[in-house]
């Protein structure tokens, strides 16, 4: 509390705090009261409502140059050191049930103060401890709140512009596809992502409405997890976005059969870029001058043959549709939702994306 009260530019970076849905409200209260921006880097859960004033997006890099205190709340990779790191005099606090991820064979993030404990009570206790220091830090808090308000407004304007700029692109851009999916969601809808999804285009206001596998491993989990969520929340619209490679890994034929057999219809949106996009992106990011990049066609990356993935759901009586025209996507999503919610059948949209 002393460290945060004396900070000019603190920031909280989280990824998994929302795994405990009871932590969302305490984090929001702490961040709002003391004007501490929260960045959810590659989140696996909804950690803070998108309309919260201290929700400052999903990229920690823009904050690292100015941050004098960083609280890492259950985030295994808060930044990529070879790309961007905090300034040398920044104080690093790590919080969580395993704050330094001791089970990882190699993890080299600094920890000036490690606090072991569940995050929901930790956020509440920290809020209480800061209350006695609020008056002395009032000037810094007020100045920070004004600055962050301007920063957040500019950030949201950029996000909105990104979707508008791409609305006529064909193949479709993930930002546009994500914004279209956002339009069919209510606050109670549950979204799973396993694709090149744009979090900036989607609104989440309730805990437990967003899930992502996040880091590597477990490719293909999305379809099965979405069926499990539907089994536990039959009255809610459950949506799963998958890359074409992830969809294949998820063993879709038995997945769609199970959907029919147990009467748990979901909507699956395949963002089909005809490649292993993650392999390509990460190879280029880590080895920009490597032989794979110079080849301009990385081995074991591209799919051939214009795969008709939407046909897999038809085997089990579901609804499948391929969408190539961006103008047709909103209408295709409406049709798919009608099938899922009105007819009780699974739906799959195979969407051509970059």
């Amino acid at each position: 509390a002393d460290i945060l009260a004396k900070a000019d530019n603190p920031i909280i970076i989280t990824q998994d705090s929302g795994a405990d849905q009871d932590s969302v409200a305490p984090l929001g209260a702490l961040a709002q009261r003391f004007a501490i921006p929260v960045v959810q880097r590659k989140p696996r859960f909804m950690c803070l409502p998108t309309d919260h004033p201290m929700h400052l997006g999903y990229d920690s890099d823009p904050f690292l140059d100015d941050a004098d205190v960083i609280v890492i709340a259950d985030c295994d990779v808060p930044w990529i050191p070879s790309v961007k790191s905090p300034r040398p005099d920044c104080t690093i606090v790590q919080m969580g049930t395993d704050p330094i991820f001791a089970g990882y064979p190699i993890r080299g993030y600094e920890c000036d103060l490690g606090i072991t404990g569940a995050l929901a009570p930790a956020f509440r206790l920290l809020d209480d401890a800061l209350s006695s220091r609020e008056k002395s830090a009032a000037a810094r808090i007020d100045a920070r709140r004004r600055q962050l308000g301007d920063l957040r407004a500019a950030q949201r304007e950029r996000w909105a512009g990104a979707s508008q700029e791409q609305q006529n692109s064909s193949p479709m851009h993930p930002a546009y596809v994500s914004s279209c999916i956002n339009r069919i969601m209510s606050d109670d809808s549950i979204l799973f992502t396993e694709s090149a999804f744009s979090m900036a285009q989607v609104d989440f206001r309730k805990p437990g409405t967003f899930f992502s596998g996040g880091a590597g491993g477990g490719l293909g989990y999305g379809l099965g997890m979405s069926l499990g969520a539907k089994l536990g929340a039959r009255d809610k619209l459950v949506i799963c976005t998958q890359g074409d490679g992830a969809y294949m890994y998820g063993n879709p034929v038995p997945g769609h059969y199970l959907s029919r057999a147990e009467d748990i219809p979901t909507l699956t949106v395949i963002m089909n870029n005809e490649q292993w996009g993650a392999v390509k992106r990460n190879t280029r990011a880590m080895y920009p001058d490597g032989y794979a990049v110079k080849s301009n066609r990385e081995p074991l990356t591209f799919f051939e043959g214009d795969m008709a993935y939407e046909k897999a759901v038809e085997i089990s009586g579901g609804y499948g549709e391929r969408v190539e025209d961006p103008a047709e996507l909103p209408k295709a999503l409406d049709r798919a939702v009608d099938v899922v919610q009105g007819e009780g059948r699974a739906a799959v949209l195979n969407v051509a994306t970059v």
Side-chain angles (χ1 to χ4, degrees), residues 300-346:
L300 305 177
T301 298
F302 294 89
F303 301 142
E304 312 289 353
D306 196 23
M307 301 286 285
Y309 299 108
E310 70 278 8
K311 299 298 183 181
V313 73
E314 296 177 2
I315 298 172
S316 299
Y319 175 81
E321 182 177 349
R322 181 177 177 86
V323 188
E324 297 181 346
D325 182 354
E328 288 297 315
L329 181 59
K331 291 178 281 187
L333 284 165
D334 288 340
R335 288 191 291 270
V337 171
D338 287 343
V339 167
V340 171
Q341 296 188 312
E343 303 177 20
R345 295 189 293 147

Side-chain angles (χ1 to χ4, degrees), residues 17-326:
S17 63
D20 178 1
Q21 296 181 25
D22 291 336
S23 75
V24 175
L27 173 59
L30 170 68
Q32 173 63 9
R33 184 175 178 181
F34 301 101
I36 304 174
V38 177
V39 172
Q40 299 169 83
R41 189 178 188 281
K42 295 187 178 297
R44 298 187 180 103
F45 306 90
M46 192 282 261
C47 303
L48 191 70
T50 51
D51 58 358
H52 191 285
M54 291 299 116
H55 186 298
L56 268 294
Y58 306 96
D59 184 5
S60 59
D61 287 3
F63 297 90
L64 297 183
D65 285 338
D66 295 326
D68 50 359
V69 174
I70 297 177
V71 177
I72 303 171
D74 210 352
C75 180
D76 54 359
V77 183
W79 55 82
I80 303 294
S82 62
V83 177
K84 189 80 172 178
S85 292
R87 67 195 206 193
D89 62 341
C90 180
T91 300
I92 309 295
V93 180
Q94 300 202 41
M95 299 171 60
T97 52
D98 180 9
I100 60 172
F101 294 85
Y104 285 27
I106 299 173
R107 184 178 183 268
Y109 292 95
E110 294 182 30
C111 182
D112 297 303
L113 175 62
I115 301 175
T116 301
L119 288 177
F123 291 146
R124 287 192 290 266
L125 289 166
L126 182 55
D127 195 340
D128 291 342
L130 275 166
S131 62
S132 63
R133 299 158 174 85
E134 187 175 4
K135 186 175 181 180
S136 62
R140 285 191 290 272
I141 294 172
D142 292 343
R144 195 160 61 234
R145 195 181 307 279
R146 290 191 297 270
Q147 178 187 15
L148 291 171
D150 293 340
L151 182 63
R152 189 178 188 279
Q155 183 186 69
R156 264 47 182 189
E157 186 176 350
R158 289 195 305 273
W159 288 359
S163 175
Q164 293 172 1
E165 289 172 6
Q166 302 294 342
Q167 61 184 348
N168 296 317
S169 299
S170 183
M172 285 170 262
H173 192 278
Y176 172 69
V177 178
S178 303
S179 68
C180 290
I181 292 174
N182 188 51
R183 294 189 188 104
I184 64 170
M185 292 174 55
S186 70
D187 287 349
D188 289 321
S189 299
I190 300 174
L191 178 68
F192 291 82
T193 64
E194 194 177 13
S195 64
F197 196 79
S198 178
M199 291 292 295
Q201 305 300 328
V202 184
D203 299 315
F204 297 103
R205 296 182 179 88
K206 290 186 176 181
T209 54
F210 170 75
F211 300 90
S212 171
L219 190 64
Y221 68 87
L223 180 57
M225 287 183 70
S226 67
L227 292 172
K230 184 66 175 180
L231 189 63
R234 291 180 179 270
D235 59 331
K236 296 183 179 181
L237 175 63
V238 178
I239 305 169
C240 176
T241 73
Q242 294 188 289
D244 42 346
Y247 182 70
M248 286 194 286
Y249 259 66
N251 215 354
V253 171
H256 296 314
Y257 162 75
L258 182 66
S259 173
R260 175 181 175 177
E262 298 297 329
D263 191 22
I264 44 176
T266 62
L267 168 58
T268 302
V269 179
I270 303 170
M271 301 176 75
N272 183 358
N273 59 4
E274 299 184 340
Q275 60 184 276
W276 296 111
V279 174
K280 181 178 178 180
R281 286 193 306 274
N282 293 329
T283 299
R284 294 190 173 198
M286 296 305 296
Y287 304 101
D289 300 317
Y291 287 106
V293 173
K294 291 176 182 176
S295 73
N296 201 35
R297 191 169 180 81
E298 292 85 344
L300 305 177
T301 298
F302 294 89
F303 301 142
E304 312 289 353
D306 196 23
M307 301 286 285
Y309 299 108
E310 70 278 8
K311 299 298 183 181
V313 73
E314 296 177 2
I315 298 172
S316 299
Y319 175 81
E321 182 177 349
R322 181 177 177 86
V323 188
E324 297 181 346
D325 182 354

